[in-house]
Amino acid sequence: METRNANKNEATILLEEKEDHFLDFKSGSIAPNKLQESFVAFANSDGGDLYVGIEDEKFCGDRIKGFDKPEDANDIIGVMLEQTSPAVENVDIEFICFETGGYVLHFSIPKSPKVHYTAQGRCFIRVNASRREIKGERVLALGYAKGSYQYEKQPVQARFRQFFRQPRQPDSY
């Protein structure tokens, strides 16, 4: 995991960005399992960037409120990488150190070819600047669209009827 200092105008540029289908800002005080919902939504959709330690646009005051030290985000990283099922591959993680705001955790999440679930077994997708939980047929449709489920390989339920035949009588001559 890389730790780097923020570029000269990076705070200004980030704070001018609007949350959308590919970008989300989360408070550093968010519960890891709640953050995992957004993490899974990005992986199940088109991927995107998730910044932890930047308050929502509606917040009054300094929006960059990162972690005091990178180790303070260990629980969050552990839940994202170890408790997402299946694990999301090729996630880039970095800490960006802002002089007055602390360390902001940045996840760059790729679009995944698999369907992912939170530790609670819930499935989410990203819709514009929000996440939506999907269930049942919607999860199945997502799997088909990603190619992770193949219709031809899905089990089907079948009922069999047994037919009893009368034993054949030998022909009489």
Side-chain angles (χ1 to χ4, degrees), residues 23-35:
L23 176 69
D24 202 0
F25 298 124
K26 295 295 181 188
S27 172
S29 61
I30 190 169
N33 61 347
K34 195 70 176 163
L35 181 64

Side-chain angles (χ1 to χ4, degrees), residues 8-10 13 17 19 27 31 69 82 86 98 101 109 129 142:
K8 183 178 175 184
N9 297 323
E10 192 166 2
I13 293 168
E17 293 286 333
E19 292 180 328
S27 172
K69 54 189 183 295
E82 297 172 13
F98 291 89
I109 306 157
L142 177 65

Side-chain angles (χ1 to χ4, degrees), residues 25-171:
F25 298 124
K26 295 295 181 188
S27 172
S29 61
I30 190 169
N33 61 347
K34 195 70 176 163
L35 181 64
Q36 190 182 34
E37 295 173 2
S38 294
F39 183 81
V40 164
F42 276 121
N44 283 337
S45 298
D46 296 316
D49 291 296
L50 181 59
Y51 290 88
V52 184
I54 299 179
E55 300 293 331
D56 201 56
E57 188 177 329
K58 301 169 198 157
F59 185 80
C60 295
D62 188 12
R63 289 179 52 204
I64 298 179
K65 293 187 173 192
F67 301 94
D68 292 333
K69 54 189 183 295
E71 292 80 16
D72 293 343
N74 284 349
D75 289 342
I76 288 175
I77 295 169
V79 169
M80 300 311 117
L81 299 183
E82 297 172 13
Q83 295 182 23
T84 301
S85 179
V88 180
E89 299 172 1
N90 301 317
V91 176
D92 286 328
I93 304 171
E94 70 175 345
F95 285 97
I96 306 169
C97 182
F98 291 89
E99 283 184 22
T100 58
Y103 292 90
V104 170
L105 177 58
H106 172 216
F107 291 97
S108 182
I109 306 157
K111 177 180 181 176
S112 177
K114 300 175 184 174
V115 176
H116 299 277
Y117 298 87
T118 65
Q120 293 76 33
R122 298 170 67 196
C123 186
F124 292 86
I125 58 170
R126 187 91 176 152
V127 178
N128 197 15
S130 66
R131 68 183 178 283
R132 300 275 191 255
E133 183 174 9
I134 60 172
K135 296 178 180 180
E137 292 293 321
R138 297 274 320 269
V139 174
L140 193 59
L142 177 65
Y144 290 147
K146 289 177 162 286
S148 61
Y149 300 155
Q150 294 178 353
Y151 182 77
E152 293 79 11
K153 293 185 177 180
Q154 295 302 311
V156 294
Q157 189 175 24
R159 294 183 356 177
F160 294 97
R161 296 178 73 191
Q162 273 191 332
F163 293 95
F164 294 98
R165 292 178 33 190
Q166 294 294 328
R168 187 173 170 176
Q169 299 296 324
D171 291 337

